[in-house]
Amino acid sequence: MDYFYHQDNRYVFDSGESSFNKQKEYGGNLFGQISRSFGRFSVDVALKVEYFRSDYNSNGKELVLWDDWALFLTASLSYLFTPSHVLQLNVSSDKNYPSYWAVNPQTSYISAYSVIVGNPELKPSREYEAQLMYILKQNIFLWLSGSMNRTTLPNCPIKVVSNFRPPSVLKILITRCRWG
């Protein structure tokens, strides 16, 4: 990527800010599911195994952004008391990846006064959900649900004023946050 800045009513090439960046991603999944019924009790369980790797090359400098294995479980358990009274338990898990710009470690100019610097240490967040539902007379639903999000490194923009060209450039850094 080549950068130019405005000087004396013309654009000047900035060789110090130019860069060559390349990102490669590799991934694979294995999925299995089983469903069984035992009289009034039924079970549906699915398991997914995922491998994901992302390599980043910036001007010849190699960086591994992610190299991770993950297991994802989805399960549904049902018990039929009578045809009009059913109890169900559902459990699921998922993963959300940060955007490319949030993890891209290069400096990207938004405008003459703003830049974004990504954080390659950002990792995907893991989400878990559970729901317990009682179905009464096939039309009244009572449920209790909950969810949990395990984010090892959340995405938090921070404003920093520094002395870039031109002065007082707003720099947005995607960095670590501590909650609590």
Side-chain angles (χ1 to χ4, degrees):
M1 183 177 288
D2 294 331
Y3 291 100
F4 295 84
Y5 62 94
H6 193 261
Q7 179 181 13
D8 300 327
N9 292 330
R10 61 188 178 98
Y11 287 96
V12 178
F13 175 68
D14 187 351
S15 61
E17 292 292 334
S18 295
S19 61
F20 172 77
N21 300 296
K22 187 176 190 180
Q23 183 172 347
K24 289 184 181 180
E25 296 179 352
Y26 309 92
N29 295 301
L30 182 63
F31 179 80
Q33 182 175 3
I34 190 167
S35 296
R36 294 283 186 257
S37 292
F38 309 98
R40 296 177 174 209
F41 187 70
S42 65
V43 178
D44 186 17
V45 177
L47 181 67
K48 178 177 133 181
V49 178
E50 176 187 83
Y51 174 73
F52 187 77
R53 179 180 174 99
S54 180
D55 296 328
Y56 184 76
N57 183 325
S58 178
N59 296 327
K61 181 182 174 187
E62 293 284 333
L63 179 65
V64 176
L65 298 179
W66 297 314
D67 189 8
D68 192 26
W69 287 91
L71 293 173
F72 301 100
L73 174 70
T74 301
S76 179
L77 310 170
S78 297
Y79 184 77
L80 183 67
F81 294 102
T82 66
S84 62
H85 296 278
V86 179
L87 182 65
Q88 291 181 336
L89 174 65
N90 299 305
V91 178
S92 64
S93 59
D94 200 3
K95 184 189 226 181
N96 287 323
Y97 292 94
S99 70
Y100 171 79
W101 293 109
V103 296
N104 184 352
Q106 89 179 46
T107 300
S108 301
Y109 291 88
I110 298 172
S111 69
Y113 299 97
S114 301
V115 297
I116 289 181
V117 180
N119 182 357
E121 293 182 30
L122 288 176
K123 303 294 180 203
S125 65
R126 304 216 180 182
E127 297 174 356
Y128 304 95
E129 294 182 2
Q131 180 182 49
L132 181 64
M133 182 183 304
Y134 183 72
I135 304 170
L136 179 65
K137 298 182 181 178
Q138 297 179 351
N139 64 0
I140 299 173
F141 299 88
L142 305 170
W143 72 87
L144 177 65
S145 64
S147 63
M148 182 176 75
N149 186 336
R150 274 191 43 220
T151 304
T152 55
L153 193 57
N155 178 351
C156 299
I158 295 176
K159 296 179 184 178
V160 177
V161 177
S162 63
N163 294 325
F164 287 139
R165 208 181 33 247
S168 301
V169 169
L170 173 64
K171 186 175 183 182
I172 300 174
L173 299 173
I174 309 300
T175 186
R176 290 180 176 224
C177 287
R178 289 219 168 164
W179 303 99

